[in-house]
Amino acid sequence: MLYTTHYMEEAERLCDRVGIVDLGHLIAEGGSRDLTARLGAAEHIVLSVEGDLDRARRAIDELVVVERSTAEADTIDVLVPSAESALPLVMQAVTTSGSSIRSVVVQEPDLEAVFLHLTGKRFRD
């Protein structure tokens, strides 16, 4: 069965195999996990932090498992290869820095990220 959609979340949920078409050309094909794995895409750990944000971010950046981090308002976005293994270390670094964590969200790469990487544009562009 062939199913077409513009909604990446829908494709991930419903399809075993996905083909990404850009300007009429098939540019990638495979399972959702295979396509995201091809990116070598990292995962994001997004922390809502209370306390000295810069000090917490510097403590996070000292961790070997962290590729990079950014801080804005009361949030630190941490890019890591594997959130599962990095999360305990990141949380410990924040608390050791004297800050406290209000919430944690882990964002894994998805088909939207694959499409953006392969085409250089969001689907709605």
Side-chain angles (χ1 to χ4, degrees), residues 36-73:
T36 55
R38 278 192 223 172
L39 283 180
E43 298 175 342
H44 289 264
I45 300 172
V46 182
L47 304 161
S48 177
V49 176
E50 200 169 276
D52 188 337
L53 198 66
D54 288 330
R55 192 159 115 188
R57 190 191 56 74
R58 285 194 304 274
I60 289 169
D61 280 344
E62 290 177 10
L63 299 172
V64 175
V65 297
V66 172
E67 292 181 12
R68 70 176 148 81
S69 70
T70 56
E72 186 176 311

PDB file of all heavy atoms in Angstrom, residues 36-73:
ATOM      1  N   THR A  36      16.617   8.208  10.560  1.00  0.00           N
ATOM      2  CA  THR A  36      17.157   9.087  11.596  1.00  0.00           C
ATOM      3  C   THR A  36      18.561   8.648  12.010  1.00  0.00           C
ATOM      4  O   THR A  36      19.405   9.484  12.308  1.00  0.00           O
ATOM      5  CB  THR A  36      16.233   9.170  12.826  1.00  0.00           C
ATOM      6  OG1 THR A  36      15.974   7.863  13.318  1.00  0.00           O
ATOM      7  CG2 THR A  36      14.934   9.863  12.488  1.00  0.00           C
ATOM      8  N   ALA A  37      18.831   7.351  11.983  1.00  0.00           N
ATOM      9  CA  ALA A  37      20.162   6.855  12.330  1.00  0.00           C
ATOM     10  C   ALA A  37      21.205   7.300  11.305  1.00  0.00           C
ATOM     11  O   ALA A  37      22.356   7.549  11.648  1.00  0.00           O
ATOM     12  CB  ALA A  37      20.146   5.340  12.437  1.00  0.00           C
ATOM     13  N   ARG A  38      20.798   7.413  10.039  1.00  0.00           N
ATOM     14  CA  ARG A  38      21.726   7.868   8.987  1.00  0.00           C
ATOM     15  C   ARG A  38      22.245   9.268   9.256  1.00  0.00           C
ATOM     16  O   ARG A  38      23.345   9.624   8.839  1.00  0.00           O
ATOM     17  CB  ARG A  38      21.026   7.895   7.627  1.00  0.00           C
ATOM     18  CG  ARG A  38      20.961   6.572   6.958  1.00  0.00           C
ATOM     19  CD  ARG A  38      20.533   6.777   5.526  1.00  0.00           C
ATOM     20  NE  ARG A  38      19.557   5.783   5.154  1.00  0.00           N
ATOM     21  CZ  ARG A  38      18.888   5.797   4.035  1.00  0.00           C
ATOM     22  NH1 ARG A  38      19.060   6.766   3.171  1.00  0.00           N
ATOM     23  NH2 ARG A  38      18.029   4.847   3.768  1.00  0.00           N
ATOM     24  N   LEU A  39      21.439  10.060   9.940  1.00  0.00           N
ATOM     25  CA  LEU A  39      21.861  11.425  10.254  1.00  0.00           C
ATOM     26  C   LEU A  39      23.014  11.440  11.235  1.00  0.00           C
ATOM     27  O   LEU A  39      23.778  12.386  11.270  1.00  0.00           O
ATOM     28  CB  LEU A  39      20.706  12.201  10.907  1.00  0.00           C
ATOM     29  CG  LEU A  39      19.601  12.702  10.039  1.00  0.00           C
ATOM     30  CD1 LEU A  39      18.573  13.427  10.891  1.00  0.00           C
ATOM     31  CD2 LEU A  39      20.124  13.623   8.976  1.00  0.00           C
ATOM     32  N   GLY A  40      23.082  10.384  12.043  1.00  0.00           N
ATOM     33  CA  GLY A  40      24.021  10.436  13.157  1.00  0.00           C
ATOM     34  C   GLY A  40      23.545  11.511  14.106  1.00  0.00           C
ATOM     35  O   GLY A  40      24.315  12.123  14.826  1.00  0.00           O
ATOM     36  N   ALA A  41      22.232  11.769  14.048  1.00  0.00           N
ATOM     37  CA  ALA A  41      21.661  12.880  14.792  1.00  0.00           C
ATOM     38  C   ALA A  41      21.754  12.644  16.283  1.00  0.00           C
ATOM     39  O   ALA A  41      21.531  11.543  16.775  1.00  0.00           O
ATOM     40  CB  ALA A  41      20.208  13.078  14.386  1.00  0.00           C
ATOM     41  N   ALA A  42      22.069  13.704  16.959  1.00  0.00           N
ATOM     42  CA  ALA A  42      22.140  13.664  18.404  1.00  0.00           C
ATOM     43  C   ALA A  42      20.750  13.904  18.986  1.00  0.00           C
ATOM     44  O   ALA A  42      19.819  14.278  18.276  1.00  0.00           O
ATOM     45  CB  ALA A  42      23.113  14.735  18.885  1.00  0.00           C
ATOM     46  N   GLU A  43      20.637  13.662  20.255  1.00  0.00           N
ATOM     47  CA  GLU A  43      19.396  13.902  20.971  1.00  0.00           C
ATOM     48  C   GLU A  43      19.554  15.168  21.799  1.00  0.00           C
ATOM     49  O   GLU A  43      20.659  15.539  22.181  1.00  0.00           O
ATOM     50  CB  GLU A  43      19.072  12.704  21.865  1.00  0.00           C
ATOM     51  CG  GLU A  43      18.864  11.436  21.069  1.00  0.00           C
ATOM     52  CD  GLU A  43      18.662  10.205  21.939  1.00  0.00           C
ATOM     53  OE1 GLU A  43      18.997  10.223  23.135  1.00  0.00           O
ATOM     54  OE2 GLU A  43      18.158   9.208  21.395  1.00  0.00           O
ATOM     55  N   HIS A  44      18.437  15.811  22.060  1.00  0.00           N
ATOM     56  CA  HIS A  44      18.436  17.030  22.882  1.00  0.00           C
ATOM     57  C   HIS A  44      17.862  16.706  24.251  1.00  0.00           C
ATOM     58  O   HIS A  44      16.827  16.057  24.358  1.00  0.00           O
ATOM     59  CB  HIS A  44      17.564  18.120  22.244  1.00  0.00           C
ATOM     60  CG  HIS A  44      18.147  18.701  21.014  1.00  0.00           C
ATOM     61  ND1 HIS A  44      18.881  19.856  21.019  1.00  0.00           N
ATOM     62  CD2 HIS A  44      18.108  18.287  19.729  1.00  0.00           C
ATOM     63  CE1 HIS A  44      19.268  20.130  19.787  1.00  0.00           C
ATOM     64  NE2 HIS A  44      18.807  19.193  18.991  1.00  0.00           N
ATOM     65  N   ILE A  45      18.544  17.185  25.273  1.00  0.00           N
ATOM     66  CA  ILE A  45      18.001  17.179  26.625  1.00  0.00           C
ATOM     67  C   ILE A  45      17.703  18.637  26.937  1.00  0.00           C
ATOM     68  O   ILE A  45      18.605  19.474  26.935  1.00  0.00           O
ATOM     69  CB  ILE A  45      19.007  16.607  27.648  1.00  0.00           C
ATOM     70  CG1 ILE A  45      19.374  15.168  27.300  1.00  0.00           C
ATOM     71  CG2 ILE A  45      18.431  16.707  29.059  1.00  0.00           C
ATOM     72  CD1 ILE A  45      20.500  14.593  28.158  1.00  0.00           C
ATOM     73  N   VAL A  46      16.447  18.948  27.151  1.00  0.00           N
ATOM     74  CA  VAL A  46      16.037  20.323  27.430  1.00  0.00           C
ATOM     75  C   VAL A  46      15.666  20.411  28.905  1.00  0.00           C
ATOM     76  O   VAL A  46      14.732  19.753  29.364  1.00  0.00           O
ATOM     77  CB  VAL A  46      14.849  20.748  26.533  1.00  0.00           C
ATOM     78  CG1 VAL A  46      14.480  22.190  26.806  1.00  0.00           C
ATOM     79  CG2 VAL A  46      15.194  20.540  25.062  1.00  0.00           C
ATOM     80  N   LEU A  47      16.422  21.232  29.625  1.00  0.00           N
ATOM     81  CA  LEU A  47      16.246  21.363  31.069  1.00  0.00           C
ATOM     82  C   LEU A  47      15.697  22.731  31.422  1.00  0.00           C
ATOM     83  O   LEU A  47      16.202  23.752  30.933  1.00  0.00           O
ATOM     84  CB  LEU A  47      17.594  21.209  31.782  1.00  0.00           C
ATOM     85  CG  LEU A  47      18.385  19.939  31.524  1.00  0.00           C
ATOM     86  CD1 LEU A  47      19.834  20.143  31.910  1.00  0.00           C
ATOM     87  CD2 LEU A  47      17.789  18.799  32.301  1.00  0.00           C
ATOM     88  N   SER A  48      14.698  22.771  32.259  1.00  0.00           N
ATOM     89  CA  SER A  48      14.242  24.017  32.850  1.00  0.00           C
ATOM     90  C   SER A  48      14.955  24.109  34.196  1.00  0.00           C
ATOM     91  O   SER A  48      14.794  23.232  35.050  1.00  0.00           O
ATOM     92  CB  SER A  48      12.726  23.999  33.021  1.00  0.00           C
ATOM     93  OG  SER A  48      12.316  25.182  33.656  1.00  0.00           O
ATOM     94  N   VAL A  49      15.760  25.159  34.360  1.00  0.00           N
ATOM     95  CA  VAL A  49      16.664  25.236  35.507  1.00  0.00           C
ATOM     96  C   VAL A  49      16.364  26.476  36.337  1.00  0.00           C
ATOM     97  O   VAL A  49      16.098  27.554  35.810  1.00  0.00           O
ATOM     98  CB  VAL A  49      18.137  25.283  35.016  1.00  0.00           C
ATOM     99  CG1 VAL A  49      19.100  25.472  36.168  1.00  0.00           C
ATOM    100  CG2 VAL A  49      18.468  24.017  34.245  1.00  0.00           C
ATOM    101  N   GLU A  50      16.452  26.307  37.648  1.00  0.00           N
ATOM    102  CA  GLU A  50      16.307  27.414  38.574  1.00  0.00           C
ATOM    103  C   GLU A  50      17.652  27.620  39.253  1.00  0.00           C
ATOM    104  O   GLU A  50      18.229  26.676  39.798  1.00  0.00           O
ATOM    105  CB  GLU A  50      15.245  27.056  39.611  1.00  0.00           C
ATOM    106  CG  GLU A  50      14.662  28.243  40.316  1.00  0.00           C
ATOM    107  CD  GLU A  50      13.454  27.830  41.118  1.00  0.00           C
ATOM    108  OE1 GLU A  50      12.361  27.757  40.528  1.00  0.00           O
ATOM    109  OE2 GLU A  50      13.613  27.548  42.327  1.00  0.00           O
ATOM    110  N   GLY A  51      18.174  28.836  39.170  1.00  0.00           N
ATOM    111  CA  GLY A  51      19.479  29.124  39.761  1.00  0.00           C
ATOM    112  C   GLY A  51      20.370  29.817  38.750  1.00  0.00           C
ATOM    113  O   GLY A  51      19.891  30.451  37.804  1.00  0.00           O
ATOM    114  N   ASP A  52      21.670  29.703  38.929  1.00  0.00           N
ATOM    115  CA  ASP A  52      22.647  30.352  38.053  1.00  0.00           C
ATOM    116  C   ASP A  52      22.765  29.550  36.757  1.00  0.00           C
ATOM    117  O   ASP A  52      23.476  28.547  36.688  1.00  0.00           O
ATOM    118  CB  ASP A  52      23.995  30.438  38.766  1.00  0.00           C
ATOM    119  CG  ASP A  52      25.020  31.257  38.009  1.00  0.00           C
ATOM    120  OD1 ASP A  52      24.884  31.405  36.771  1.00  0.00           O
ATOM    121  OD2 ASP A  52      25.972  31.740  38.652  1.00  0.00           O
ATOM    122  N   LEU A  53      22.079  30.018  35.726  1.00  0.00           N
ATOM    123  CA  LEU A  53      22.000  29.305  34.449  1.00  0.00           C
ATOM    124  C   LEU A  53      23.371  29.162  33.786  1.00  0.00           C
ATOM    125  O   LEU A  53      23.716  28.094  33.283  1.00  0.00           O
ATOM    126  CB  LEU A  53      21.026  30.033  33.522  1.00  0.00           C
ATOM    127  CG  LEU A  53      20.491  29.254  32.338  1.00  0.00           C
ATOM    128  CD1 LEU A  53      19.615  28.104  32.810  1.00  0.00           C
ATOM    129  CD2 LEU A  53      19.695  30.158  31.429  1.00  0.00           C
ATOM    130  N   ASP A  54      24.166  30.220  33.795  1.00  0.00           N
ATOM    131  CA  ASP A  54      25.485  30.167  33.155  1.00  0.00           C
ATOM    132  C   ASP A  54      26.409  29.179  33.861  1.00  0.00           C
ATOM    133  O   ASP A  54      27.140  28.427  33.211  1.00  0.00           O
ATOM    134  CB  ASP A  54      26.126  31.552  33.110  1.00  0.00           C
ATOM    135  CG  ASP A  54      25.456  32.461  32.107  1.00  0.00           C
ATOM    136  OD1 ASP A  54      24.929  31.949  31.090  1.00  0.00           O
ATOM    137  OD2 ASP A  54      25.447  33.687  32.328  1.00  0.00           O
ATOM    138  N   ARG A  55      26.368  29.175  35.175  1.00  0.00           N
ATOM    139  CA  ARG A  55      27.207  28.244  35.925  1.00  0.00           C
ATOM    140  C   ARG A  55      26.774  26.795  35.671  1.00  0.00           C
ATOM    141  O   ARG A  55      27.621  25.914  35.473  1.00  0.00           O
ATOM    142  CB  ARG A  55      27.130  28.567  37.414  1.00  0.00           C
ATOM    143  CG  ARG A  55      28.170  27.853  38.213  1.00  0.00           C
ATOM    144  CD  ARG A  55      28.377  28.557  39.513  1.00  0.00           C
ATOM    145  NE  ARG A  55      27.963  27.663  40.589  1.00  0.00           N
ATOM    146  CZ  ARG A  55      27.875  28.020  41.845  1.00  0.00           C
ATOM    147  NH1 ARG A  55      28.101  29.262  42.189  1.00  0.00           N
ATOM    148  NH2 ARG A  55      27.521  27.149  42.753  1.00  0.00           N
ATOM    149  N   ALA A  56      25.485  26.570  35.609  1.00  0.00           N
ATOM    150  CA  ALA A  56      24.977  25.221  35.319  1.00  0.00           C
ATOM    151  C   ALA A  56      25.391  24.789  33.910  1.00  0.00           C
ATOM    152  O   ALA A  56      25.814  23.654  33.704  1.00  0.00           O
ATOM    153  CB  ALA A  56      23.459  25.196  35.464  1.00  0.00           C
ATOM    154  N   ARG A  57      25.277  25.696  32.943  1.00  0.00           N
ATOM    155  CA  ARG A  57      25.659  25.356  31.565  1.00  0.00           C
ATOM    156  C   ARG A  57      27.150  25.062  31.462  1.00  0.00           C
ATOM    157  O   ARG A  57      27.564  24.129  30.773  1.00  0.00           O
ATOM    158  CB  ARG A  57      25.270  26.473  30.600  1.00  0.00           C
ATOM    159  CG  ARG A  57      25.435  26.062  29.130  1.00  0.00           C
ATOM    160  CD  ARG A  57      25.317  27.233  28.182  1.00  0.00           C
ATOM    161  NE  ARG A  57      26.247  28.296  28.461  1.00  0.00           N
ATOM    162  CZ  ARG A  57      27.562  28.270  28.201  1.00  0.00           C
ATOM    163  NH1 ARG A  57      28.108  27.208  27.649  1.00  0.00           N
ATOM    164  NH2 ARG A  57      28.332  29.294  28.493  1.00  0.00           N
ATOM    165  N   ARG A  58      27.972  25.828  32.143  1.00  0.00           N
ATOM    166  CA  ARG A  58      29.421  25.565  32.121  1.00  0.00           C
ATOM    167  C   ARG A  58      29.735  24.193  32.719  1.00  0.00           C
ATOM    168  O   ARG A  58      30.590  23.466  32.211  1.00  0.00           O
ATOM    169  CB  ARG A  58      30.174  26.675  32.856  1.00  0.00           C
ATOM    170  CG  ARG A  58      30.273  27.963  32.058  1.00  0.00           C
ATOM    171  CD  ARG A  58      31.300  28.930  32.655  1.00  0.00           C
ATOM    172  NE  ARG A  58      31.046  29.252  34.057  1.00  0.00           N
ATOM    173  CZ  ARG A  58      30.235  30.224  34.486  1.00  0.00           C
ATOM    174  NH1 ARG A  58      29.592  30.981  33.619  1.00  0.00           N
ATOM    175  NH2 ARG A  58      30.077  30.451  35.779  1.00  0.00           N
ATOM    176  N   ALA A  59      29.039  23.827  33.785  1.00  0.00           N
ATOM    177  CA  ALA A  59      29.240  22.508  34.405  1.00  0.00           C
ATOM    178  C   ALA A  59      28.840  21.396  33.433  1.00  0.00           C
ATOM    179  O   ALA A  59      29.520  20.371  33.328  1.00  0.00           O
ATOM    180  CB  ALA A  59      28.433  22.410  35.696  1.00  0.00           C
ATOM    181  N   ILE A  60      27.757  21.616  32.706  1.00  0.00           N
ATOM    182  CA  ILE A  60      27.306  20.637  31.702  1.00  0.00           C
ATOM    183  C   ILE A  60      28.328  20.512  30.582  1.00  0.00           C
ATOM    184  O   ILE A  60      28.650  19.413  30.134  1.00  0.00           O
ATOM    185  CB  ILE A  60      25.924  21.041  31.144  1.00  0.00           C
ATOM    186  CG1 ILE A  60      24.843  20.843  32.212  1.00  0.00           C
ATOM    187  CG2 ILE A  60      25.595  20.260  29.878  1.00  0.00           C
ATOM    188  CD1 ILE A  60      23.502  21.457  31.859  1.00  0.00           C
ATOM    189  N   ASP A  61      28.851  21.638  30.122  1.00  0.00           N
ATOM    190  CA  ASP A  61      29.820  21.632  29.015  1.00  0.00           C
ATOM    191  C   ASP A  61      31.112  20.896  29.354  1.00  0.00           C
ATOM    192  O   ASP A  61      31.834  20.480  28.456  1.00  0.00           O
ATOM    193  CB  ASP A  61      30.145  23.058  28.571  1.00  0.00           C
ATOM    194  CG  ASP A  61      29.077  23.645  27.675  1.00  0.00           C
ATOM    195  OD1 ASP A  61      28.240  22.887  27.145  1.00  0.00           O
ATOM    196  OD2 ASP A  61      29.065  24.878  27.511  1.00  0.00           O
ATOM    197  N   GLU A  62      31.424  20.750  30.634  1.00  0.00           N
ATOM    198  CA  GLU A  62      32.638  20.034  31.035  1.00  0.00           C
ATOM    199  C   GLU A  62      32.502  18.524  30.873  1.00  0.00           C
ATOM    200  O   GLU A  62      33.503  17.811  30.885  1.00  0.00           O
ATOM    201  CB  GLU A  62      32.993  20.377  32.488  1.00  0.00           C
ATOM    202  CG  GLU A  62      33.467  21.802  32.651  1.00  0.00           C
ATOM    203  CD  GLU A  62      33.760  22.157  34.104  1.00  0.00           C
ATOM    204  OE1 GLU A  62      33.772  21.234  34.951  1.00  0.00           O
ATOM    205  OE2 GLU A  62      33.975  23.344  34.378  1.00  0.00           O
ATOM    206  N   LEU A  63      31.280  18.042  30.682  1.00  0.00           N
ATOM    207  CA  LEU A  63      31.058  16.601  30.548  1.00  0.00           C
ATOM    208  C   LEU A  63      31.499  16.114  29.174  1.00  0.00           C
ATOM    209  O   LEU A  63      31.205  16.742  28.155  1.00  0.00           O
ATOM    210  CB  LEU A  63      29.575  16.270  30.754  1.00  0.00           C
ATOM    211  CG  LEU A  63      28.982  16.621  32.109  1.00  0.00           C
ATOM    212  CD1 LEU A  63      27.478  16.420  32.088  1.00  0.00           C
ATOM    213  CD2 LEU A  63      29.639  15.789  33.210  1.00  0.00           C
ATOM    214  N   VAL A  64      32.180  14.991  29.129  1.00  0.00           N
ATOM    215  CA  VAL A  64      32.669  14.413  27.882  1.00  0.00           C
ATOM    216  C   VAL A  64      31.513  14.018  26.961  1.00  0.00           C
ATOM    217  O   VAL A  64      31.634  14.101  25.740  1.00  0.00           O
ATOM    218  CB  VAL A  64      33.561  13.177  28.188  1.00  0.00           C
ATOM    219  CG1 VAL A  64      33.978  12.475  26.914  1.00  0.00           C
ATOM    220  CG2 VAL A  64      34.767  13.581  28.997  1.00  0.00           C
ATOM    221  N   VAL A  65      30.382  13.628  27.522  1.00  0.00           N
ATOM    222  CA  VAL A  65      29.252  13.145  26.724  1.00  0.00           C
ATOM    223  C   VAL A  65      28.466  14.264  26.044  1.00  0.00           C
ATOM    224  O   VAL A  65      27.578  13.990  25.233  1.00  0.00           O
ATOM    225  CB  VAL A  65      28.275  12.302  27.585  1.00  0.00           C
ATOM    226  CG1 VAL A  65      28.958  11.058  28.098  1.00  0.00           C
ATOM    227  CG2 VAL A  65      27.690  13.127  28.715  1.00  0.00           C
ATOM    228  N   VAL A  66      28.801  15.507  26.328  1.00  0.00           N
ATOM    229  CA  VAL A  66      28.050  16.643  25.787  1.00  0.00           C
ATOM    230  C   VAL A  66      28.734  17.185  24.541  1.00  0.00           C
ATOM    231  O   VAL A  66      29.918  17.511  24.556  1.00  0.00           O
ATOM    232  CB  VAL A  66      27.914  17.758  26.851  1.00  0.00           C
ATOM    233  CG1 VAL A  66      27.302  19.016  26.259  1.00  0.00           C
ATOM    234  CG2 VAL A  66      27.083  17.252  28.015  1.00  0.00           C
ATOM    235  N   GLU A  67      27.970  17.261  23.440  1.00  0.00           N
ATOM    236  CA  GLU A  67      28.500  17.838  22.203  1.00  0.00           C
ATOM    237  C   GLU A  67      28.493  19.363  22.284  1.00  0.00           C
ATOM    238  O   GLU A  67      29.446  20.015  21.908  1.00  0.00           O
ATOM    239  CB  GLU A  67      27.692  17.352  21.006  1.00  0.00           C
ATOM    240  CG  GLU A  67      27.885  15.874  20.747  1.00  0.00           C
ATOM    241  CD  GLU A  67      27.115  15.370  19.542  1.00  0.00           C
ATOM    242  OE1 GLU A  67      26.595  16.184  18.754  1.00  0.00           O
ATOM    243  OE2 GLU A  67      27.025  14.138  19.398  1.00  0.00           O
ATOM    244  N   ARG A  68      27.368  19.929  22.754  1.00  0.00           N
ATOM    245  CA  ARG A  68      27.283  21.373  22.981  1.00  0.00           C
ATOM    246  C   ARG A  68      26.030  21.672  23.766  1.00  0.00           C
ATOM    247  O   ARG A  68      25.132  20.859  23.859  1.00  0.00           O
ATOM    248  CB  ARG A  68      27.314  22.164  21.690  1.00  0.00           C
ATOM    249  CG  ARG A  68      26.096  22.053  20.822  1.00  0.00           C
ATOM    250  CD  ARG A  68      26.219  22.982  19.596  1.00  0.00           C
ATOM    251  NE  ARG A  68      25.561  22.445  18.440  1.00  0.00           N
ATOM    252  CZ  ARG A  68      24.256  22.520  18.207  1.00  0.00           C
ATOM    253  NH1 ARG A  68      23.481  23.114  19.048  1.00  0.00           N
ATOM    254  NH2 ARG A  68      23.731  22.011  17.119  1.00  0.00           N
ATOM    255  N   SER A  69      25.999  22.871  24.341  1.00  0.00           N
ATOM    256  CA  SER A  69      24.799  23.290  25.060  1.00  0.00           C
ATOM    257  C   SER A  69      24.578  24.774  24.814  1.00  0.00           C
ATOM    258  O   SER A  69      25.512  25.519  24.512  1.00  0.00           O
ATOM    259  CB  SER A  69      24.933  23.010  26.558  1.00  0.00           C
ATOM    260  OG  SER A  69      25.891  23.874  27.125  1.00  0.00           O
ATOM    261  N   THR A  70      23.324  25.179  24.931  1.00  0.00           N
ATOM    262  CA  THR A  70      22.970  26.592  24.828  1.00  0.00           C
ATOM    263  C   THR A  70      22.013  26.912  25.963  1.00  0.00           C
ATOM    264  O   THR A  70      21.268  26.039  26.423  1.00  0.00           O
ATOM    265  CB  THR A  70      22.293  26.927  23.479  1.00  0.00           C
ATOM    266  OG1 THR A  70      21.148  26.094  23.314  1.00  0.00           O
ATOM    267  CG2 THR A  70      23.242  26.715  22.312  1.00  0.00           C
ATOM    268  N   ALA A  71      22.048  28.153  26.402  1.00  0.00           N
ATOM    269  CA  ALA A  71      21.180  28.582  27.498  1.00  0.00           C
ATOM    270  C   ALA A  71      20.415  29.826  27.081  1.00  0.00           C
ATOM    271  O   ALA A  71      20.970  30.723  26.443  1.00  0.00           O
ATOM    272  CB  ALA A  71      22.010  28.868  28.741  1.00  0.00           C
ATOM    273  N   GLU A  72      19.132  29.835  27.442  1.00  0.00           N
ATOM    274  CA  GLU A  72      18.287  30.987  27.135  1.00  0.00           C
ATOM    275  C   GLU A  72      17.153  31.030  28.145  1.00  0.00           C
ATOM    276  O   GLU A  72      16.549  29.991  28.447  1.00  0.00           O
ATOM    277  CB  GLU A  72      17.721  30.855  25.727  1.00  0.00           C
ATOM    278  CG  GLU A  72      16.959  32.079  25.268  1.00  0.00           C
ATOM    279  CD  GLU A  72      16.491  31.951  23.835  1.00  0.00           C
ATOM    280  OE1 GLU A  72      17.312  31.596  22.973  1.00  0.00           O
ATOM    281  OE2 GLU A  72      15.302  32.196  23.597  1.00  0.00           O
ATOM    282  N   ALA A  73      16.870  32.211  28.654  1.00  0.00           N
ATOM    283  CA  ALA A  73      15.843  32.410  29.683  1.00  0.00           C
ATOM    284  C   ALA A  73      16.154  31.477  30.853  1.00  0.00           C
ATOM    285  O   ALA A  73      17.202  31.618  31.468  1.00  0.00           O
ATOM    286  CB  ALA A  73      14.448  32.207  29.119  1.00  0.00           C
TER     287      ALA A  73
END
